[in-house]
């Protein structure tokens, strides 16, 4: 049986989904009451009254709640998930607004009714009176702080944080050359096709809450709900259904709805379900990406960066439940594959009266990559050097690994790159895109009146972030293998990838392995799915768990076969003496034998009953340090993150008349260590590239000065269709294994999106000869840039 | 996003439909629904009664008669797009319809409905304005014909009054073999509302040079704008590679609005560029027909 | 639903089987299919007709079920994703192609693509690259970046051809 590691095994998830038999949140709970919310139409206002009288006559109405109805724990702000010493002024929302609203879309009242239509009817008839307050919209307004989002947060500053290694000011002062850049990226958002949703069922007799939620962390939700509802952890089950995409937005928890819906279910004694609609997703979930950067770089004649000073301002929206993760990721991952001699990064995380900001695929890296790569290109331009040459001169070399940047990463641990080969990546991407041949192509195009340009961007991505994940593997008497891990799936093929690993370890057909993710009933200790960590964390944990199960199986089989465990191997679910496939017993039989029975439940089980013979009668049936069954349980907790890397190169053509940008070629070189399922990894890259293109050329959240989100629909928030993505994504791989986990793998989920804006900005700048310092860039933006440049 | 409570009636005859519309001032016609249903779902429209005309199959015709392509109220965009007689008589219909949204929308949305909806970014209102067609409107009180020039009153506002049903739109056929049509549009994503679009009707003079042209613009203002390009193009070579004077005229005369997708200046630029493209297409078509 | 609203009888043929629902006029066809008829394979991504996840076949033509009122569809023949596999359970060529080509990740947009492509290949059985792009041009996917969905279109055309050549199963 050949190894499945590295095989593009067809996904086990697909048959069900392709037949329309998926079970996403809204598919569940047909008998549940429906929740809808009254949400603030103002970006900043005091609530002066809530009058529900007109709504009371709506047929099918069951309940209306506002803040005054909430019990003590629910009446408090929602948890600040990731505290940080620099986060001196952290503010989180109330589940229902407590006298003040801070963004359009903030929940003010919850309606529960027989169905969603009726709930919306009632919500429409609830009259909330507001006293509008000045709205702080956009980073300029937040920085100027003429008005405050939160009265007790001076300067709208949630946090100010600095990290430095070396003496940056001195290095810059002493540098032969200095340049300064101002750069800006605007807001985008995860926008998975399925929005958020929660279903809760309170069993009064058993005193248990069972919840389903479209989340990236079932254990996180369970802990939060238990805390907020005053329940024991063991009274709450959280099951993740099929999830229609997450991309980061579903890692935030608990959403107001995630505590209010179970609370209402318990209060009403009826199951309650909330399914978010698309407009709600735009105005009451989360966005990301908006930052302004000021860079000062001191460099030498070779383009080597001697001192890099980055000062930036991060728009965190109205609240910061996720703490400072996004700007911390920006601060640290901005460094990419480079080793500036001195580096100082300082950021302000600022409140605005807009939707909150939490990680979206890339989680601050696209911004950092954009800043670093534009800086590299600017240095190259200033010195008249090839852009890849400048980069090369700044690379951390393979021989310098592990490389300690002297900073603290988003996991609270030192930023130390474990492995990577950036020169090899560069050679590959240059070869793939034809970097050295491009000048000739550009000239030929120019002679035809066409404008083409090439751009390149490099990134490093910290993946496999801790603290831990766990796995459980059990072989049943049928021979089927049941695997559980606590983190969740949103379409990445986790069940397939993890089944491949377990099937390999145990020597069973993959069809006999079933993996469950994100169900607290099956595995209760977990962190969640984010930061490209599943293969590293759960992959390692289930592999270690499978090894324990295998070891036990061989021990039990060895006793039964009267050989030594080292004489045995498992092939296609049969435990047999090496070299002798015909002798042997099935794993299922081993499972039977491992559990000494008094009662046989079927014919096969008879072999394990007390009169069946065998076994040492001078010893107890189950040894003191042993357990019945063939199971393994293991946790994986790395000392720190493992660093994947990659480079993208794009060739674009810009239309001289219409300023439209066409992507002629898009190339990716990608290093996430060894690939467990190459086709799944490639799919992740395709998806990430599409989001990178979206973020570079199409997607931005547009707020007007009153804080209204003007484009809160798919009509005007421009996620790419097939017509907007590159015609082909050319991919090459490099594999530098990670020394930090038993599989040697690194994460792959986010990589595709990280350098998109940087690579495309560089290519457009190369085509136009006009500096591109802000993304996204629409044809209208490019036209105006041209006017400003020529005019 | 669910619609509010609605009254509903699905008449089996045009007369019954008109009676239903007359009976309630808050009644609205439901044909394709591709614009009305999402407005109701977003609770931006809350008609008292929906008069569903989808059973009035007698209105689903696409025919050519009396020098017009006559499109009934229930003809879906996809049906008009597929109609060979319509394409032969007035090629601009097919040229423009290809840009209307996506096939799934075109399978249900009606051409008459999109004209009555009067979206400034709509392709078909601009086509009607360019060709100076008519809209036939019926009510319990009688019927009238509204010329295109009087039909589009403002953004999403047409001359159809409450109680009235637009039963047919008439697009004049190509005025002779020396004429040709063109349509060019640029949108942010394929199938989106146009950032700017131009429909052109051009014709050749007897000597084979350009006789004249006119253009209608979408997404440049509250309603379609029709410009006579003749002064900028007459007498010129019909196979010219570009038409800078026509482009300049468009840029000079139009006053586009800015929005979140484009500045006014960029729209103006596109209007010029697309005028040239659509004009080129129209003249090329005319030359082919004349040569054939 | 106990809303006091007038209910209308909606008769549909869904995946070849007669079905009846009694719904208020405002009931969207997408909700009728999902909640009244309990066919949850059709998904709702936006309710404004842009994403295409809710696409079903109405009398054979792809339409957005979120942009139709159930009452307006009275009398129609509807095909949803649940009706694409063959009677013996074999996956249709389009479904089989998605499986082989990794054409889905989270699966939420997939049913809309499957119905759209099923109708598309019926009209254009051997699409070139441009035609394949046109065919899927109105459906949004956030996970796959479309590359493998395009591959699935071409593979589906091949499978359909192979099956036709092989004769009845």
């Amino acid at each position: 049986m050949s190894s499945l590691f590295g095989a593009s095994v067809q996904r086990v998830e697909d048959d069900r989904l392709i037949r329309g038999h998926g079970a996403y949140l809204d598919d569940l709970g047909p008998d549940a009451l429906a929740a809808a919310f009254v949400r603030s139409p103002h970006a900043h206002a005091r609530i002066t009254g809530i009058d529900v009288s007109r709504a009371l006559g709506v047929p099918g109405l069951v309940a209306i709640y506002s803040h005054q109805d909430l019990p003590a724990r629910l009446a408090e702000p929602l948890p600040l998930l990731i505290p940080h010493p620099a986060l001196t002024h952290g503010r989180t929302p109330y589940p229902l607004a407590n006298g003040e609203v801070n963004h359009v879309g903030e929940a003010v009242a919850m309606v529960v009714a027989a169905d969603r239509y009726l709930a919306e009817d009632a919500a429409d008839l609830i009259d909330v009176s507001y006293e509008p307050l000045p709205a702080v919209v956009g980073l300029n307004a937040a920085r100027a702080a003429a008005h405050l989002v939160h009265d007790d947060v001076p300067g709208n500053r949630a946090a100010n944080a600095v990290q430095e290694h070396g003496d940056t000011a001195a290095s810059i002062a002493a540098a032969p050359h200095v340049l300064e850049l101002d750069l800006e990226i605007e807001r985008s958002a995860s926008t998975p096709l399925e929005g958020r949703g929660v279903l809760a069922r309170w069993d009064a007799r058993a005193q248990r809450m069972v919840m389903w939620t479209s989340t990236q962390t079932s254990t996180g939700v369970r802990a939060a709900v238990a805390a907020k509802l005053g329940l024991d952890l063991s009274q709450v089950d959280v099951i993740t259904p099929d999830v229609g995409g997450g991309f980061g937005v579903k890692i935030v928890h608990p959403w107001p709805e995630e505590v209010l819906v179970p609370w209402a279910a318990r209060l009403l004694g009826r199951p309650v379900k909330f399914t978010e609609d698309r407009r709600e997703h735009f105005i009451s979930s989360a966005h990301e990406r908006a930052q302004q950067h000021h860079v000062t770089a001191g460099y030498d004649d070779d383009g080597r960066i001697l001192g890099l000073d980055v000062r930036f301002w991060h728009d965190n929206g109205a609240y910061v439940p996720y703490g400072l993760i996004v700007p911390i990721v920006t601060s640290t991952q901005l460094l990419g594959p480079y080793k500036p001699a001195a580096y100082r990064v300082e950021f302000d995380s600022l409140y605005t009266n807009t939707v909150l900001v939490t990680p979206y695929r890339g989680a601050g890296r696209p911004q950092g990559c954009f800043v670093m790569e534009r800086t590299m290109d600017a240095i190259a331009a200033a010195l008249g050097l090839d852009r890849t040459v400048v980069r090369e001169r700044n690379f951390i070399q393979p021989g310098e690994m592990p490389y300690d940047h002297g900073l603290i990463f988003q996991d609270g641990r030192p930023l130390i790159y474990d492995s990577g080969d950036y020169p090899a990546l560069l050679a590959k991407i240059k070869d793939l895109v034809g970097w050295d041949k491009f000048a000739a192509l550009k000239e030929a195009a120019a002679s035809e009146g066409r404008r083409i340009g090439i751009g390149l961007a490099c990134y490093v991505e910290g993946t496999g972030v801790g603290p831990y994940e766990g796995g459980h593997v059990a072989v049943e008497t049928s021979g089927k293998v049941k695997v559980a891990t606590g983190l969740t799936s949103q379409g990445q093929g986790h069940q397939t990838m993890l089944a491949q690993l377990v099937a390999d370890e145990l020597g069973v057909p993959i069809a006999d392995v079933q993996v469950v993710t994100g169900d607290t009933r099956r595995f209760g200790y977990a962190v969640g799915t984010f930061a490209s960590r599943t293969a590293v964390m759960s992959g390692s944990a289930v592999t270690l768990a499978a090894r324990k199960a295998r070891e036990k199986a061989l021990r039990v089989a060895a006793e039964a076969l009267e050989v030594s465990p080292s004489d045995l191997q498992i092939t296609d679910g049969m435990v047999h003496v090496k070299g002798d496939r015909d002798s042997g017993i099935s794993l299922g039989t081993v499972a039977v034998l491992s559990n000494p029975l008094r009662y046989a439940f079927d014919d096969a089980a008879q072999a394990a009953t007390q009169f069946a013979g065998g076994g040492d009668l001078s010893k107890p049936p189950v040894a003191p340090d042993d357990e019945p069954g063939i199971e393994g349980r293991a946790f994986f907790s790395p000392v720190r993150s493992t660093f994947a890397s990659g480079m993208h190169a794009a060739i674009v053509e810009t239309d001289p008349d219409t300023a439209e940008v066409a992507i002629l070629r898009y190339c990716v070189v990608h290093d996430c260590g060894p690939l467990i399922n190459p086709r799944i990894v490639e799919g992740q890259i395709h998806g990430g590239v599409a989001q990178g293109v979206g973020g570079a050329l199409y997607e931005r959240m547009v707020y007007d000065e009153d804080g209204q989100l003007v484009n809160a629909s798919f009509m005007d928030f421009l996620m790419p269709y097939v017509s907007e993505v590159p015609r082909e994504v050319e991919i090459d791989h490099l594999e530098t294994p990670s020394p930090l986990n038993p599989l040697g793998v690194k994460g792959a989920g986010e990589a595709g999106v990280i350098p998109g804006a940087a690579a495309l900005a560089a290519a457009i700048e190369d085509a136009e000869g006009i500096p591109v310092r802000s993304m996204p860039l629409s044809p209208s933006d490019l036209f105006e840039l041209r006017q400003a440049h020529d005019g | 996003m669910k619609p509010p409570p609605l009254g509903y009636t699905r008449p089996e005859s045009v007369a019954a439909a008109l009676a239903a519309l007359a009976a309630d001032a808050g009644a609205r016609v439901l044909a394709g629904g591709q614009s009305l249903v999402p407005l109701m779902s977003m609770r931006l429209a809350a008609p008292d009664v929906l008069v569903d005309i989808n059973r009035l199959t007698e209105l689903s015709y696409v025919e050519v008669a009396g020098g017009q392509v006559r499109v009934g109220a229930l003809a879906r965009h996809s049906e008009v797009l597929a109609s060979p007689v319509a394409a032969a008589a007035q090629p601009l219909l097919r040229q423009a319809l290809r840009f209307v949204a996506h096939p799934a929308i075109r399978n249900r949305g009606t051409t008459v409905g999109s004209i009555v909806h009067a979206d400034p970014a709509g392709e078909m209102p601009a086509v009607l304005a360019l060709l100076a067609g008519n809209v036939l409107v019926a009510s319990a009180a009688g019927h009238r014909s509204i010329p295109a020039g009087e039909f589009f009153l403002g953004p999403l506002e047409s001359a159809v009054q409450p109680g009235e049903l637009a039963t047919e739109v008439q697009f004049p056929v190509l005025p002779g073999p020396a004429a040709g049509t063109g349509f060019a549009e640029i949108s942010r994503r394929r199938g989106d509302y146009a950032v700017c679009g131009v429909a052109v009707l051009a014709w050749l003079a007897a000597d084979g040079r350009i006789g004249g042209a006119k253009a209608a613009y979408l997404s440049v203002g509250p309603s379609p704008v029709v410009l006579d390009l003749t002064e900028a193009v007459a007498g010129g070579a019909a196979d010219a590679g570009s038409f800078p004077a026509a482009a300049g005229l468009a840029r000079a005369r139009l006053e586009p609005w800015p929005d979140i997708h484009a500045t006014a200046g960029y729209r103006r630029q596109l209007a010029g560029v697309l005028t040239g493209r659509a004009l080129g297409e129209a003249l090329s078509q005319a030359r082919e027909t004349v040569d054939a | 639903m106990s809303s006091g609203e007038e209910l209308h009888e909606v008769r549909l043929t869904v995946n070849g089987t007669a079905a009846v629902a009694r719904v208020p006029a405002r009931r969207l066809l997408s909700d009728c299919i999902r909640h009244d008829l309990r066919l949850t394979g059709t998904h709702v991504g936006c309710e404004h007709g842009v994403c295409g996840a809710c696409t079903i076949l109405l009398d054979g033509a792809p339409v957005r079920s979120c942009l139709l009122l159930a009452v307006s569809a009275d009398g129609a023949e509807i095909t949803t994703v649940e009706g694409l596999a063959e009677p013996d359970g074999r996956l249709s060529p389009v479904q089989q192609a998605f499986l082989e080509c990794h054409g889905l990740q989270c699966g939420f947009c997939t049913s809309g693509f499957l119905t759209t492509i099923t109708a598309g290949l019926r009209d254009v059985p051997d699409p070139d690259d441009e035609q394949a792009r046109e065919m899927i041009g109105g459906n949004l996917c956030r996970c796959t970046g479309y590359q493998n969905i395009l591959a699935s279109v071409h593979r589906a055309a091949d499978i359909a051809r192979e099956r036709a050549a092989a004769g009845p199963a």
Side-chain angles (χ1 to χ4, degrees), chain C residues 106-159:
Chain C
C106 80
F108 198 75
C109 71
T110 307
S111 13
F113 276 98
L114 293 176
T115 51
T116 300
I117 297 168
T118 299
L121 287 177
R122 187 196 55 211
D123 297 338
V124 183
D126 191 15
D128 61 24
D129 192 48
E130 279 316 308
Q131 288 168 318
R133 283 166 196 281
E134 182 82 33
M135 207 182 278
I136 66 164
N139 290 56
L140 283 175
C141 173
R142 197 56 162 168
C143 293
T144 68
Y146 306 102
Q147 308 294 334
N148 287 346
I149 295 180
L150 281 170
S152 301
V153 173
H154 294 296
R155 180 71 191 124
D158 288 343
I159 294 175

Side-chain angles (χ1 to χ4, degrees), chain A residues 210-298:
Chain A
V210 183
M211 284 178 64
W212 292 258
T213 172
S214 195
T215 184
Q216 291 173 224
T217 173
S218 48
T219 46
V221 172
R222 179 171 73 145
V225 167
K228 280 294 180 186
L229 266 50
L231 295 169
D232 297 336
L233 206 62
S234 58
Q235 287 178 278
V236 182
D237 295 325
V238 177
I239 302 147
T240 311
D242 288 320
V243 173
F247 310 110
V249 71
K250 295 175 179 176
I251 193 61
V252 179
H253 67 284
W255 292 102
E257 300 85 354
E258 279 177 328
V259 294
L260 293 170
V261 164
W263 173 69
R266 183 171 62 173
L267 207 57
L268 298 170
R270 304 267 310 272
V272 178
K273 179 166 73 170
F274 167 69
T275 303
E276 169 180 72
D277 66 36
R278 185 48 57 185
R279 180 170 164 76
E280 284 181 294
H281 189 77
F282 273 101
I283 63 175
S284 64
S285 67
H287 301 162
E288 203 232 280
R289 299 279 192 262
Q291 289 179 356
Q292 290 173 345
H293 285 248
H294 182 80
V295 176
T296 311

